[in-house]
Amino acid sequence: MTNVAIIGGSGYGAAELVRLLHIHPYAKLTAIISHSKQGTDFSTVYPHMNQIADQTMEQLDVKKLSETIDLVFFATPSNVSKTIIPDFLASGITCIDLSGDFRLHSPAVYQQWYQAEAAAEEYLHQAVYGLSEINAASVRSAKLIANPGCYPTAALLGLIPVTEKELIEPNSIIIDGKTGVSGAGRSLSQHVHFAEMNENVKAYKLGSHKHIPEIEQALQEYIAADIQLTFTPHIVPMTRGIMVTCYAKLTENITTAQIETIYHTFYQQHPFVRVRADGEVPTTKEVYGSNYCDIAIHVDERTNRLTIISVIDNLVKGAAGQAIQNMNISNGWDQTTGLQHAPIYP
Amino acid sequence: MTNVAIIGGSGYGAAELVRLLHIHPYAKLTAIISHSKQGTDFSTVYPHMNQIADQTMEQLDVKKLSETIDLVFFATPSNVSKTIIPDFLASGITCIDLSGDFRLHSPAVYQQWYQAEAAAEEYLHQAVYGLSEINAASVRSAKLIANPGCYPTAALLGLIPVTEKELIEPNSIIIDGKTGVSGAGRSLSQHVHFAEMNENVKAYKLGSHKHIPEIEQALQEYIAADIQLTFTPHIVPMTRGIMVTCYAKLTENITTAQIETIYHTFYQQHPFVRVRADGEVPTTKEVYGSNYCDIAIHVDERTNRLTIISVIDNLVKGAAGQAIQNMNISNGWDQTTGLQHAPIYP
Amino acid sequence: MTNVAIIGGSGYGAAELVRLLHIHPYAKLTAIISHSKQGTDFSTVYPHMNQIADQTMEQLDVKKLSETIDLVFFATPSNVSKTIIPDFLASGITCIDLSGDFRLHSPAVYQQWYQAEAAAEEYLHQAVYGLSEINAASVRSAKLIANPGCYPTAALLGLIPVTEKELIEPNSIIIDGKTGVSGAGRSLSQHVHFAEMNENVKAYKLGSHKHIPEIEQALQEYIAADIQLTFTPHIVPMTRGIMVTCYAKLTENITTAQIETIYHTFYQQHPFVRVRADGEVPTTKEVYGSNYCDIAIHVDERTNRLTIISVIDNLVKGAAGQAIQNMNISNGWDQTTGLQHAPIYP
Amino acid sequence: MTNVAIIGGSGYGAAELVRLLHIHPYAKLTAIISHSKQGTDFSTVYPHMNQIADQTMEQLDVKKLSETIDLVFFATPSNVSKTIIPDFLASGITCIDLSGDFRLHSPAVYQQWYQAEAAAEEYLHQAVYGLSEINAASVRSAKLIANPGCYPTAALLGLIPVTEKELIEPNSIIIDGKTGVSGAGRSLSQHVHFAEMNENVKAYKLGSHKHIPEIEQALQEYIAADIQLTFTPHIVPMTRGIMVTCYAKLTENITTAQIETIYHTFYQQHPFVRVRADGEVPTTKEVYGSNYCDIAIHVDERTNRLTIISVIDNLVKGAAGQAIQNMNISNGWDQTTGLQHAPIYP
């Protein structure tokens, strides 16, 4: 049994980790750390976990924790894990960070988009970007795994197969994202007050979302020229789910069927990516509560443009589920361990 | 391994059985029967089950099916299972019926509320009402289990402890139910067309819902006098979940804390019933996707009236989950087998 | 032209008053007062009112305001208007108070349910309870109108016709309310955070809601004996609308059709109450955005119990709309003036 | 008083026309025609209109109708009005068609996208595309007005100012649309069944939506070269509202503020278009129930790309509201007549 802890226990990322770890056969959740809720039972903050996860949340004590655990998940806001993770690494603890602190390689880029100082460069170098389907080999040997953001997970799994094959013009990429409201977290704001978010669609952070450099950096691996894309996130009146609609100019004449074949081949060893075909377009509800990423592609011959639709549950494949998938890979377990939940529908 | 089949494969009850059976360690789903969709893959009808349950749905052939399966779930509309179940019973197959065909003991009462002829009386006598927490002993030895309706499950688990103790006046009982829209099934109707059901609350079937005699019959077990209650169902703009708010006159002076103790004692051996206390009132989302039934009680000293709030996921504890719980009990397995899903929240 | 002001300009009650006053032919909104937002344009706080209501919100100055206005609406939280209204009354300004400060006649009852000191008794005596259909005569001559609460408006319009005729046993009344989330106001709370309120139903304030004494007091006018009823409010995942389902024991044998006739007669001079018949049950969406109250009644002969369904838009007939209806009555205008909006559907 | 009739009385377009005409001071609705519901009262089909619009729907009789009315609205499905309108025109009746039958000038293009034969060419030539803000002069003198589609209204009002000024590369235009479910109409379909549409986002008709040629044709007026754009519609879980997010490559260096000035100038005489500025991005709820179109623009200097956000209520400015605006223009009335409803919020 691997002993794991969660740091940042009061947010939705933590709640989802607790839900998923509950049926994991090899990992045992031994501590939930929360600065703001320390001393409170987890099931007092999240009553749905009554009799399932009643443990008391604790104040962080790195030294004590390091003696009992093998792996720690950080479900903290930006700019928290960067100062704590080095201490855990020093004790040989594997760290999986669901925040953005270690995702960007360049301190300057981090500074520009996060408006804060980056983590120390040696740790940025050490961090592996945990997009499980793409970087499994590096994840396997990593001690510090930067778990991808929700939008980047959906967008990258959708875009990488054609980017790698140079089938699209990199600087023609436009990503239009639609997220459920849980993506905004548990903190209160007028923006996501029910009476005003219900029956409403909102676009936000035009041209300034932190996930832009993250997506660009990951795509850059496949492209020589500098890539700069447009990404517009929208919030829609539902709790869970992300759909990204990606647009790009094709570099050659190719049919929908031919590209579908490329995707099927690309993902054939990857059980959590389901390439849809024959005109079937996935909806977000079809992956609800599960670790799947469903993808459909469409070639528009009139405009010679490719449209890619990619959907995930933002809290599972977009956060806690992929974190557990990375833990599985890191430990040499089958990557689907503890993640066999079928989507909940309807 | 126990081989099981589902009859009525295109509805939500079946879809939920398939989801839950997917991680059941001892039951294997070997056939999905659908009259309307025979020849179609299950995952074509329900794309969320792509690569999880791709089997082709079949036409019903009782004889052939009886040779390969041990247990069959009926997820059929009213008035279907009553003519098919006798044949399965003749072959020694255990039948769990999610429809209402075998829930009422009296053919006359069935006729009155269902406006149709009842099943043959010998089978009505043989059927055990599968409210798992209450009737486990009978379920264990039954070959024909009538799985309770969704509203009755929530209402009865809420009402039985005080009814048994004669703490409430039976004919003072009023049940006000609120259900998510999935309770109306998959068939299309103007009533549940999104544009008109969204941002809307509807009361329906005033004084005429089929679940009224079902609840009365189950409570009658504890009461000498004839019981007649009022039940008003409402549909609210969400997909899953039922809350029943039950009102009854108390027969003696008693405090909230004293009644809570009675409930805690009553349900202490029953992992799926969580009695909430200290003013905590459960919400439907706190049991979403799980087999839990959460209950809170409140004594109003001004009116000497008891209010009981009971919530379930209508498709899990109110249908497929309880059916699997009954299968577990029937097979001598731990009743929680394959049902350990924590609620999904948020 | 009558000059009016709104005090408490940042909440939903004020926003709805501004929307409705916008097309009122005889009332001119000359000032919006907001303590927390003074100096800010109304349309900055509520961008939907851009180019419709751009005026700057002001700090309250009773003296200055009294010189320019004829009537003031209070859309303030509890315990604000009670100290300000006396000054306006002294200047002869008509006051319509949407808060609960002047609704209860008895200071002791106010103290008990609001946990705060009541307004001075002379003003409580002077205040007229502005349930327009019932108290129009008193409203006409009042200077201080206590606009009813949202639940009481729906419940009382549903219950008064049979209470007046002594057709129901007063102490058998149970009211089960379902409200949209806007009823909780604009202030942020975890309770109504979108991700947790969506796809959820919640019961709250069991036995302790402030609207209980308000309903009891209004019904008491028709009944000699002391009345004590049970009311349980629920919040459902929609923005607007209230449905109350009222239950009561009938005192005599009477049919649904007979009671419908009583309601038709009772409300025939009242254009905003629509008595539905022939089994039609109103839904909340059927009054959305309008000042209507739709009512259906159902006699259950099995239990000799009456069920009354009454729906309103909580922000219109349950707040701002009725306030304007009262202003109309108070000024001798047709009560529907400026309130002719048909419901928005779907 | 102008006498008007509605043909196609059972759909949402008609229901919205009836709601808006109810407070129109100069137009009198004298007949509602419905093939499927003839003989039924309008308020039986739409109970929210009880006591507001109780008239009986009639079978179409062009001759009889022509004698009593001045103007007719067609709220019919595709391929209905094209055969009926010529008869009304022959009698000198003004026709406003909310369907797509007369929007496209080219019969071949109509045939290609609608998969049906186009209206007779002489009528296509006669029809004026009723985008009120752009074509008011032509609308004024037209007898046949093709009311624009919902997506095209939002997209064109957003795109025309920069297209006219040649600030964007025409063939770089990508439109990502998000619509509420009422856009799918009142006809039942699995697609918009509440239980499956709630908590879900769906993309549909990739590359094949009928609004593509409509948008291209209208933009083509401003551009010499052939224009071909990409449009992907999405359906989100709300009833009303459309947001289009338009992307295009800029042809020169220009700031957000400079483009905002262009929009302010372009729309300064147009009360229903509100250009938002200073980083304010409109949400769909901010125009709910009203005839406004709110627009925000954003220049991304990194990618030299322009993003335009445009929102409308699909049933008002996207259908019935603009139809009435066109009626107003056609009759020489102020275009806002009867359309002064402020948005409903929250």
Side-chain angles (χ1 to χ4, degrees):
Chain A
M1 215 62 174
T2 292
N3 289 330
V4 309
I6 296 169
I7 298 181
S10 64
Y12 293 153
E16 194 68 353
L17 281 166
V18 174
R19 174 174 82 90
L20 295 170
L21 288 169
H22 171 59
I23 63 160
H24 198 286
Y26 311 139
K28 186 170 155 42
L29 176 60
T30 57
I32 306 177
I33 308 300
S34 170
H35 183 67
S36 62
K37 304 282 185 185
Q38 61 115 337
T40 310
D41 289 356
F42 184 76
S43 60
T44 299
V45 175
Y46 285 110
H48 70 290
M49 294 304 271
N50 257 304
Q51 300 176 26
I52 303 173
D54 293 317
Q55 60 238 75
T56 305
M57 292 189 276
E58 304 164 37
Q59 190 61 274
L60 176 62
D61 180 335
V62 178
K63 189 162 178 305
K64 195 181 130 211
L65 205 57
S66 298
E67 287 164 9
T68 59
I69 62 159
D70 307 296
L71 182 148
V72 62
F73 294 103
F74 282 81
T76 42
S78 290
N79 299 311
V80 172
S81 67
K82 70 185 176 193
T83 59
I84 307 173
I85 277 184
D87 290 342
F88 281 104
L89 291 176
S91 300
I93 312 291
T94 300
C95 296
I96 300 183
D97 184 15
L98 282 74
S99 88
D101 281 18
F102 294 93
R103 291 183 196 148
L104 300 179
H105 306 330
S106 153
V109 174
Y110 183 92
Q111 170 80 42
Q112 178 193 341
W113 291 87
Y114 282 74
Q115 304 288 322
E117 208 180 336
E121 209 155 350
E122 62 173 299
Y123 296 103
L124 294 181
H125 286 159
Q126 186 179 340
V128 165
Y129 187 64
L131 189 60
S132 314
E133 280 71 17
I134 305 299
N135 297 334
S138 317
V139 167
R140 203 162 291 124
S141 55
K143 295 304 284 184
L144 170 49
I145 300 164
N147 213 59
C150 49
Y151 285 121
T153 296
L156 291 168
L157 292 176
L159 284 163
I160 285 175
V162 278
T163 304
E164 188 203 35
K165 289 249 181 299
E166 298 182 4
L167 284 168
I168 56 173
E169 291 178 17
N171 280 316
S172 72
I173 297 173
I174 290 172
I175 302 168
D176 190 284
K178 295 94 182 163
T179 187
V181 185
S182 62
R186 198 175 205 218
S187 297
L188 302 181
S189 109
Q190 204 71 53
H191 191 53
V192 294
H193 193 53
F194 183 92
E196 302 185 29
M197 184 61 239
N198 184 41
E199 191 70 11
N200 207 352
V201 174
K202 304 181 179 185
Y204 64 105
K205 292 190 186 164
L206 274 67
S208 65
H209 197 286
K210 294 178 175 72
H211 288 165
I212 293 175
E214 184 178 336
I215 300 171
E216 288 179 350
Q217 172 184 284
L219 291 180
Q220 197 72 67
E221 306 268 322
Y222 303 93
I223 301 167
D226 250 27
I227 181 171
Q228 280 171 328
L229 52 79
T230 294
F231 165 54
T232 308
H234 301 76
I235 192 159
V236 299
M238 63 184 193
T239 295
R240 282 175 182 242
I242 277 184
M243 175 182 285
V244 292
T245 310
C246 307
Y247 302 94
K249 205 78 190 163
L250 284 164
T251 53
E252 58 182 78
N253 285 334
I254 187 165
T255 66
T256 298
Q258 286 171 314
I259 300 195
E260 281 174 1
T261 301
I262 290 169
Y263 277 72
H264 277 294
T265 305
F266 193 96
Y267 287 118
Q268 69 187 348
Q269 305 301 327
H270 298 283
F272 287 127
V273 179
R274 301 188 295 192
V275 180
R276 307 286 285 273
D278 303 321
E280 250 194 31
V281 183
T283 71
T284 58
K285 201 173 181 66
E286 288 167 13
V287 297
Y288 195 97
S290 81
N291 202 47
Y292 289 98
C293 174
D294 281 17
I295 298 173
I297 67 109
H298 173 77
V299 171
D300 184 8
E301 287 164 23
R302 291 174 68 247
T303 58
N304 201 32
R305 214 175 255 132
L306 178 68
T307 304
I308 304 163
I309 307 278
S310 173
V311 299
I312 59 170
D313 183 317
N314 57 307
L315 293 176
V316 189
K317 184 61 181 170
Q322 187 158 238
I324 288 174
Q325 188 179 0
N326 284 327
M327 173 184 73
N328 291 340
I329 293 169
S330 166
N331 279 278
W333 305 327
D334 185 287
Q335 64 178 311
T336 64
T337 310
L339 293 171
Q340 296 93 341
H341 309 74
I344 295 210
Y345 190 96
Chain B
M1 215 64 174
T2 291
N3 289 329
V4 309
I6 296 170
I7 298 181
S10 64
Y12 293 152
E16 193 69 353
L17 281 167
V18 174
R19 174 174 83 89
L20 295 170
L21 288 169
H22 172 59
I23 64 161
H24 198 287
Y26 310 140
K28 187 169 153 43
L29 177 60
T30 57
I32 307 178
I33 308 300
S34 170
H35 183 67
S36 61
K37 303 282 184 185
Q38 60 115 340
T40 309
D41 288 356
F42 184 76
S43 61
T44 299
V45 175
Y46 285 110
H48 69 290
M49 294 304 270
N50 258 305
Q51 300 177 27
I52 303 173
D54 292 316
Q55 60 237 78
T56 305
M57 291 190 276
E58 304 164 36
Q59 190 62 274
L60 177 62
D61 179 334
V62 177
K63 189 162 177 303
K64 197 182 129 209
L65 205 57
S66 297
E67 285 164 11
T68 58
I69 62 159
D70 306 297
L71 182 148
V72 62
F73 293 103
F74 282 81
T76 41
S78 290
N79 299 311
V80 172
S81 67
K82 69 185 176 193
T83 59
I84 307 174
I85 277 185
D87 289 341
F88 281 103
L89 291 176
S91 301
I93 312 291
T94 300
C95 295
I96 301 183
D97 184 15
L98 281 74
S99 88
D101 281 18
F102 295 92
R103 291 182 196 150
L104 300 178
H105 305 331
S106 153
V109 174
Y110 183 91
Q111 170 80 45
Q112 178 192 343
W113 292 86
Y114 282 73
Q115 305 289 324
E117 207 180 337
E121 209 155 353
E122 62 173 300
Y123 296 104
L124 294 181
H125 286 159
Q126 187 179 341
V128 165
Y129 187 65
L131 188 60
S132 314
E133 279 71 17
I134 305 300
N135 296 333
S138 317
V139 166
R140 201 162 294 122
S141 54
K143 293 304 284 183
L144 169 49
I145 300 164
N147 213 57
C150 49
Y151 284 121
T153 296
L156 291 169
L157 292 176
L159 284 163
I160 285 175
V162 279
T163 304
E164 187 203 36
K165 288 249 180 301
E166 298 181 5
L167 285 167
I168 55 172
E169 292 178 16
N171 280 315
S172 73
I173 297 173
I174 290 172
I175 302 169
D176 190 284
K178 295 96 183 161
T179 187
V181 185
S182 63
R186 198 174 205 219
S187 297
L188 302 181
S189 108
Q190 204 71 54
H191 190 54
V192 294
H193 192 53
F194 183 92
E196 302 185 28
M197 184 62 239
N198 185 41
E199 190 69 12
N200 207 353
V201 174
K202 305 181 179 186
Y204 63 105
K205 292 190 186 164
L206 274 68
S208 66
H209 197 288
K210 294 177 174 72
H211 288 166
I212 293 175
E214 184 179 336
I215 300 171
E216 288 179 350
Q217 172 184 284
L219 291 180
Q220 197 71 65
E221 306 268 320
Y222 303 93
I223 301 165
D226 249 27
I227 180 170
Q228 280 172 328
L229 52 79
T230 294
F231 165 54
T232 308
H234 301 75
I235 193 159
V236 300
M238 63 184 194
T239 295
R240 281 175 183 244
I242 276 185
M243 175 181 284
V244 293
T245 310
C246 308
Y247 302 94
K249 205 79 190 162
L250 284 163
T251 53
E252 59 182 77
N253 285 335
I254 187 165
T255 66
T256 298
Q258 287 171 314
I259 300 196
E260 282 174 0
T261 302
I262 290 169
Y263 277 71
H264 277 294
T265 306
F266 193 95
Y267 287 119
Q268 69 187 348
Q269 306 301 326
H270 298 283
F272 287 126
V273 179
R274 302 188 295 191
V275 180
R276 307 286 285 273
D278 303 320
E280 247 193 35
V281 183
T283 71
T284 57
K285 201 173 180 65
E286 288 167 14
V287 298
Y288 196 96
S290 81
N291 202 48
Y292 288 98
C293 174
D294 280 19
I295 297 174
I297 67 110
H298 173 78
V299 170
D300 184 9
E301 287 164 23
R302 291 172 69 248
T303 58
N304 202 31
R305 213 174 257 134
L306 178 68
T307 303
I308 304 163
I309 307 278
S310 173
V311 299
I312 59 171
D313 182 319
N314 57 306
L315 293 177
V316 189
K317 184 61 180 171
Q322 187 158 238
I324 288 174
Q325 188 180 359
N326 284 326
M327 173 184 73
N328 290 341
I329 293 169
S330 167
N331 280 278
W333 305 326
D334 185 286
Q335 64 178 311
T336 64
T337 310
L339 293 172
Q340 296 94 340
H341 310 73
I344 295 211
Y345 189 96
Chain C
M1 215 63 174
T2 291
N3 289 329
V4 309
I6 298 170
I7 298 181
S10 64
Y12 292 152
E16 193 68 353
L17 281 166
V18 175
R19 173 175 82 91
L20 295 171
L21 288 169
H22 171 60
I23 63 160
H24 198 286
Y26 311 139
K28 186 168 154 45
L29 177 60
T30 56
I32 307 177
I33 308 300
S34 170
H35 183 67
S36 62
K37 303 282 185 185
Q38 59 116 337
T40 310
D41 289 356
F42 185 75
S43 61
T44 299
V45 175
Y46 285 110
H48 69 290
M49 293 305 269
N50 257 303
Q51 301 176 26
I52 303 172
D54 293 316
Q55 60 236 78
T56 305
M57 291 190 276
E58 306 163 35
Q59 190 62 273
L60 177 62
D61 179 334
V62 178
K63 191 162 175 305
K64 195 182 129 210
L65 206 57
S66 298
E67 287 163 9
T68 59
I69 61 158
D70 307 297
L71 183 149
V72 62
F73 294 103
F74 282 81
T76 41
S78 290
N79 299 311
V80 172
S81 66
K82 70 186 177 194
T83 60
I84 306 174
I85 276 184
D87 291 341
F88 281 103
L89 291 176
S91 301
I93 312 291
T94 301
C95 296
I96 300 182
D97 184 14
L98 282 74
S99 88
D101 280 19
F102 294 92
R103 291 183 197 149
L104 300 179
H105 306 329
S106 154
V109 173
Y110 184 92
Q111 169 81 43
Q112 178 192 342
W113 293 86
Y114 282 73
Q115 304 288 321
E117 208 180 335
E121 209 154 351
E122 62 173 299
Y123 296 104
L124 294 182
H125 285 159
Q126 186 180 341
V128 166
Y129 187 65
L131 189 59
S132 314
E133 279 72 17
I134 305 300
N135 296 334
S138 317
V139 166
R140 203 161 290 124
S141 55
K143 294 304 284 183
L144 170 48
I145 299 164
N147 212 57
C150 49
Y151 285 121
T153 295
L156 290 169
L157 292 177
L159 284 162
I160 284 176
V162 278
T163 304
E164 187 203 35
K165 289 250 182 298
E166 298 182 5
L167 285 168
I168 56 172
E169 292 178 15
N171 281 314
S172 73
I173 297 173
I174 290 173
I175 302 168
D176 190 283
K178 297 94 184 163
T179 188
V181 185
S182 62
R186 199 175 203 219
S187 297
L188 302 181
S189 109
Q190 203 71 54
H191 191 53
V192 293
H193 193 53
F194 183 92
E196 303 186 28
M197 183 61 239
N198 184 40
E199 190 70 11
N200 207 352
V201 174
K202 305 182 178 185
Y204 64 104
K205 293 190 185 163
L206 275 67
S208 66
H209 198 286
K210 293 177 177 72
H211 288 166
I212 293 176
E214 184 179 335
I215 300 171
E216 288 178 350
Q217 172 184 285
L219 290 180
Q220 197 73 64
E221 306 269 320
Y222 303 92
I223 300 164
D226 249 27
I227 180 170
Q228 280 172 328
L229 53 79
T230 293
F231 165 54
T232 309
H234 300 76
I235 193 160
V236 299
M238 62 184 193
T239 295
R240 282 176 181 242
I242 276 185
M243 175 181 284
V244 293
T245 310
C246 307
Y247 303 93
K249 206 77 189 164
L250 285 164
T251 53
E252 56 182 79
N253 284 335
I254 187 164
T255 66
T256 298
Q258 287 172 313
I259 301 195
E260 281 174 359
T261 301
I262 291 168
Y263 277 71
H264 276 295
T265 305
F266 193 96
Y267 287 118
Q268 69 187 350
Q269 304 301 327
H270 298 282
F272 287 127
V273 179
R274 301 188 295 191
V275 180
R276 308 285 286 271
D278 304 320
E280 248 194 33
V281 183
T283 71
T284 58
K285 201 173 182 67
E286 288 166 14
V287 298
Y288 195 96
S290 82
N291 201 48
Y292 289 98
C293 173
D294 281 17
I295 297 174
I297 68 110
H298 173 78
V299 171
D300 184 8
E301 287 164 23
R302 291 173 69 248
T303 59
N304 201 32
R305 212 174 257 134
L306 178 68
T307 304
I308 303 163
I309 307 278
S310 173
V311 299
I312 58 170
D313 182 318
N314 57 307
L315 293 177
V316 190
K317 184 61 180 169
Q322 187 157 238
I324 288 173
Q325 189 180 0
N326 284 326
M327 173 185 72
N328 290 340
I329 294 169
S330 167
N331 280 279
W333 305 326
D334 186 285
Q335 65 180 310
T336 64
T337 310
L339 293 171
Q340 297 93 339
H341 310 73
I344 294 210
Y345 189 95
Chain D
M1 216 63 174
T2 292
N3 289 330
V4 309
I6 297 170
I7 298 180
S10 63
Y12 293 152
E16 194 67 354
L17 281 167
V18 174
R19 173 175 83 89
L20 295 171
L21 288 170
H22 171 59
I23 63 160
H24 198 286
Y26 311 139
K28 186 168 155 44
L29 177 59
T30 56
I32 307 177
I33 307 300
S34 170
H35 183 67
S36 62
K37 302 282 184 186
Q38 61 116 336
T40 309
D41 289 356
F42 185 75
S43 61
T44 300
V45 175
Y46 285 110
H48 70 289
M49 294 303 270
N50 256 304
Q51 301 176 25
I52 303 172
D54 292 317
Q55 60 237 77
T56 305
M57 291 190 275
E58 305 164 35
Q59 190 62 274
L60 176 62
D61 180 335
V62 178
K63 190 161 177 305
K64 196 180 131 212
L65 206 56
S66 299
E67 287 162 9
T68 59
I69 62 159
D70 306 297
L71 182 148
V72 62
F73 294 103
F74 282 82
T76 41
S78 290
N79 299 312
V80 172
S81 66
K82 69 185 176 195
T83 60
I84 307 174
I85 277 184
D87 290 342
F88 281 103
L89 291 176
S91 302
I93 312 291
T94 301
C95 296
I96 300 182
D97 184 14
L98 282 74
S99 88
D101 281 18
F102 295 91
R103 291 183 196 148
L104 300 179
H105 306 329
S106 154
V109 174
Y110 184 92
Q111 170 81 42
Q112 179 192 341
W113 292 86
Y114 282 73
Q115 305 288 324
E117 208 180 335
E121 209 154 351
E122 62 173 299
Y123 297 102
L124 294 182
H125 286 159
Q126 186 180 341
V128 165
Y129 187 65
L131 189 59
S132 315
E133 279 71 17
I134 305 300
N135 296 334
S138 318
V139 166
R140 202 162 293 125
S141 54
K143 294 304 285 184
L144 169 49
I145 300 165
N147 212 58
C150 49
Y151 284 121
T153 296
L156 291 169
L157 292 177
L159 285 163
I160 285 176
V162 278
T163 304
E164 187 204 35
K165 288 249 182 301
E166 297 183 6
L167 285 167
I168 56 173
E169 291 178 15
N171 281 314
S172 73
I173 297 173
I174 289 173
I175 302 169
D176 190 284
K178 297 94 183 163
T179 188
V181 185
S182 62
R186 200 175 203 217
S187 297
L188 302 181
S189 109
Q190 204 71 54
H191 191 53
V192 293
H193 192 54
F194 184 92
E196 302 184 30
M197 184 60 239
N198 185 41
E199 190 71 11
N200 207 352
V201 174
K202 305 183 179 185
Y204 64 105
K205 293 190 187 163
L206 274 67
S208 65
H209 197 286
K210 294 177 176 71
H211 288 165
I212 293 175
E214 184 179 337
I215 300 171
E216 288 178 349
Q217 172 184 283
L219 291 180
Q220 197 74 63
E221 307 268 321
Y222 304 93
I223 301 165
D226 249 29
I227 181 170
Q228 280 172 327
L229 53 78
T230 293
F231 165 54
T232 309
H234 300 76
I235 193 160
V236 300
M238 63 184 192
T239 295
R240 282 177 182 243
I242 276 184
M243 176 181 284
V244 293
T245 311
C246 307
Y247 303 94
K249 205 79 187 164
L250 285 163
T251 53
E252 56 182 79
N253 283 336
I254 188 165
T255 66
T256 298
Q258 287 172 313
I259 300 196
E260 282 174 1
T261 302
I262 290 168
Y263 278 72
H264 278 294
T265 305
F266 193 97
Y267 287 118
Q268 68 187 350
Q269 305 302 327
H270 298 283
F272 287 127
V273 179
R274 300 187 296 191
V275 180
R276 309 285 286 271
D278 303 320
E280 249 194 33
V281 183
T283 71
T284 58
K285 202 174 181 64
E286 288 166 15
V287 297
Y288 194 97
S290 82
N291 202 47
Y292 289 98
C293 173
D294 281 18
I295 298 174
I297 68 109
H298 173 77
V299 170
D300 185 8
E301 287 164 23
R302 291 174 68 249
T303 59
N304 201 33
R305 212 175 258 133
L306 178 68
T307 304
I308 304 163
I309 307 277
S310 173
V311 299
I312 58 170
D313 182 317
N314 56 307
L315 293 177
V316 190
K317 184 61 180 169
Q322 186 158 239
I324 288 173
Q325 188 180 0
N326 284 326
M327 174 184 71
N328 290 340
I329 294 170
S330 167
N331 279 278
W333 305 326
D334 186 287
Q335 65 178 311
T336 64
T337 310
L339 293 172
Q340 296 94 338
H341 309 74
I344 295 211
Y345 189 96

